[in-house]
Amino acid sequence: YIGLGGLGFVVSYFVIYYMARPGILEMLEAVNSMLQSISPNQTVLLVVLLAGLTVLDLGGPFNKIAYGFIIQFYTEGLFHITGPVLVSVMLPPLGVYLGLTFLKNRFNDMDHKSKKLALFGAVFGLTEGALVVGYRRPLTVIPILLIGSVTGSAVASIMGLENSSLLVSIPSIITVNSVL
């Protein structure tokens, strides 16, 4: 069995290296050249897509996929994409915190126990800060958070926000081109 496992590994390696690798590298090169020639209108669409994925599951798999793209854009120096998308990371916990603060009677005691977590998430850029309230009422809370975050990211993109770090919210004040 060990010999079959080793043979399977070697065959898989050569199939991936010589058959799959060239196609994957060609696709990555096409995506890279597309990103280098992206127009401002297309940037807004890309930002909206990534912002939507960031907020869709508040820290789940779609959020992690979007964050992987954000890191890649950051390493490529595309700060005009990372900055606006990172706005969508801060807005859900901030919205939940503000809701818990100003609309106290619409939330129960369990929700109010997550108020500090929401504030922490808003300050340090963790969408998970909105999880407790968002998952208790997914049909009412998540669409609102999604619309607000996508809109905020789109406006930031239109205004030309650039963030030269992966910091979000208050820590990012020193790394963005426009605090507004």
Side-chain angles (χ1 to χ4, degrees):
Y1 292 113
I2 293 174
L4 286 175
L7 179 65
F9 172 78
V10 170
V11 169
S12 297
Y13 173 79
F14 283 107
V15 167
I16 290 171
Y17 190 80
Y18 290 107
M19 295 176 78
R21 183 175 171 251
I24 291 171
L25 289 176
E26 188 173 320
M27 287 187 328
L28 289 174
E29 186 59 38
V31 168
N32 190 28
S33 64
M34 181 194 76
L35 289 174
Q36 296 301 329
S37 66
I38 199 166
S39 73
N41 292 339
Q42 293 168 329
T43 300
V44 174
L45 293 175
L46 183 61
V47 165
V48 164
L49 174 69
L50 289 174
L53 287 173
T54 299
V55 179
L56 189 61
D57 57 359
L58 298 173
F62 291 115
N63 178 288
K64 300 308 179 220
I65 290 170
Y67 193 68
F69 278 104
I70 292 168
I71 290 173
Q72 182 60 37
F73 292 140
Y74 174 76
T75 59
E76 294 288 328
L78 301 171
F79 305 132
H80 65 285
I81 295 174
T82 58
V85 176
L86 289 174
V87 168
S88 70
V89 174
M90 174 205 54
L91 289 178
L94 180 62
V96 167
Y97 176 78
L98 292 174
L100 290 169
T101 302
F102 296 116
L103 305 171
K104 295 178 184 178
N105 59 347
R106 294 189 184 183
F107 298 96
N108 61 28
D109 290 337
M110 281 298 270
D111 294 333
H112 283 286
K113 289 181 183 177
S114 68
K115 188 174 177 180
K116 289 180 183 177
L117 177 64
L119 179 61
F120 182 82
V123 170
F124 293 104
L126 298 168
T127 55
E128 289 84 352
L131 265 177
V132 175
V133 175
Y135 280 178
R136 287 182 164 284
R137 298 173 193 82
L139 296 177
T140 56
V141 174
I142 292 182
I144 294 167
L145 297 178
L146 192 60
I147 291 168
S149 294
V150 166
T151 303
S153 291
V155 168
S157 179
I158 291 167
M159 292 178 66
L161 176 74
E162 292 184 9
N163 188 349
S164 60
S165 73
L166 290 175
L167 299 173
V168 181
S169 189
I170 293 173
S172 73
I173 288 176
I174 58 174
T175 62
V176 295
N177 64 339
S178 171
V179 175
L180 177 61

